[in-house]
Amino acid sequence: MSPADRPASELAQRARAAANRLLRKDALAERRAVHDRCVGLDTRALLATPVAEARFVVLDLETTGFAAYAGDEIVQAALLEYRGLEPTGEALCSLVRPSIPIPATATAVHGIDDEIVADAPTIEAIIDDIVEFLDGAVIVGHHAAFDLRFLNRVTQRELFCRLPHPTVDPCCSTFHAAAGWATMISKRSPGPAGCRPRGATMPAATRRSRAGSSPASPHRPPTPDAASAS
C-alpha cells in the first residue's frame, strides 16, 4: 500500500467500525463492558502487587510492517499467561486477516502470507478476546511498545480507549524464555489448522488453551533452559 492510500484505508476502517457498532446494537453493552474493564484497570494496585502474586502476559505480534499508524496491520497474535514467574499454561494464539496484502518482505521475516490468513478472523473480531486476556496483567514483551502501538490503534478505533497496562521488557531469564516461547508458538503454527479454538465461542483460527495441550495447542514450548540456549 502506498503512503497516499493509507489515510483512505484508515478512514474506511473507522467507517466500518462505526457501522458495525450501529448494526450490532445488541453487542454494545458487551463492548462497553470490555471498554470499562480496560480503562478501569488499577495500575497503581497492579504495580504494588508482589511479583510472586502478579499476573503477567507475554505478548508477541506479527505484522505487515513497522508503521502501526501509517497503514500496517497485525497478522498474528500470541499471548502466554504467567502467575508470578511460573507459567499457568493458558495461552491465546490467533492468525489475523489484515485488510491489506502482506508484503513479501514481511513474509520473509515471519513466514505468514495472504494464503495462510485467508480464513483467519479480522483483528476487529478478536480484539475483545485479546483485551479480556490482558485484563489485570502486566504486559511482557521484547520492544513491547511496538506491539502496543498496533493494539492501541485497534482499541482506539473499536473501544475508544488505549491499553493502560504496565509493561516489562524481559530482563530476567524466565521472561526472556517466555517471550521466546510466544514467538515460537506463533512461528510454529502459522496455518489455520495449528490455531484451532478450544471452545465454541472463540473465532475460527484462534487458540486459547493450556499451552502444550492437545489438540488445541499442538506445539509444546521448550524448557526454559532450552529456550535460553537457543
Side-chain angles (χ1 to χ4, degrees):
M1 178 183 294
S2 68
D5 293 333
R6 285 172 176 168
S9 174
E10 178 69 14
L11 182 60
Q13 288 179 329
R14 289 182 178 274
R16 186 167 58 248
N20 287 338
R21 285 191 291 270
L22 289 174
L23 294 173
R24 299 177 60 220
K25 291 184 178 180
D26 57 328
L28 285 179
E30 182 179 343
R31 300 303 297 276
R32 179 58 184 264
V34 176
H35 167 274
D36 291 348
R37 190 179 301 121
C38 180
V39 299
L41 180 67
D42 189 343
T43 56
R44 182 173 298 182
L46 184 58
L47 290 172
T49 304
V51 170
E53 302 172 12
R55 181 171 178 268
F56 298 91
V57 170
V58 180
L59 170 69
D60 182 60
L61 301 180
E62 303 296 347
T63 67
T64 62
F66 298 109
Y69 287 95
D72 284 315
E73 300 183 25
I74 299 168
V75 298
Q76 189 171 43
L79 299 88
L80 300 177
E81 182 186 59
Y82 268 60
R83 181 67 66 175
L85 298 180
E86 297 297 326
T88 67
E90 289 295 324
L92 187 154
C93 176
S94 180
L95 291 165
V96 178
R97 186 177 74 253
S99 64
I100 62 174
I102 301 175
T105 51
T107 299
V109 174
H110 48 56
I112 301 171
D113 58 24
D114 294 331
E115 182 179 358
I116 288 174
V117 299
D119 297 323
T122 63
I123 189 62
E124 291 82 6
I126 65 169
I127 189 61
D128 288 9
D129 293 309
I130 292 174
V131 171
E132 289 178 0
F133 196 91
L134 291 171
D135 186 36
V138 175
I139 295 175
V140 180
H142 292 298
H143 307 293
F146 172 84
D147 291 339
L148 284 178
R149 282 197 294 273
F150 279 88
L151 287 181
N152 280 328
R153 181 193 175 205
V154 181
T155 58
Q156 285 176 308
R157 185 175 67 237
E158 297 293 321
L159 299 171
F160 301 106
C161 65
R162 294 170 60 87
L163 297 172
H165 303 64
T167 60
V168 174
D169 201 83
C171 56
C172 67
S173 60
T174 297
F175 284 138
H176 179 80
W181 293 348
T183 301
M184 196 172 301
I185 286 176
S186 67
K187 291 185 183 302
R188 285 188 177 182
S189 52
C195 289
R196 295 192 183 94
R198 186 179 187 182
T201 59
M202 293 297 291
T206 305
R207 181 177 70 241
R208 180 172 181 172
S209 64
R210 300 287 297 180
S213 65
S214 177
S217 178
H219 302 291
R220 183 179 299 276
T223 62
D225 290 342
S228 299
S230 61

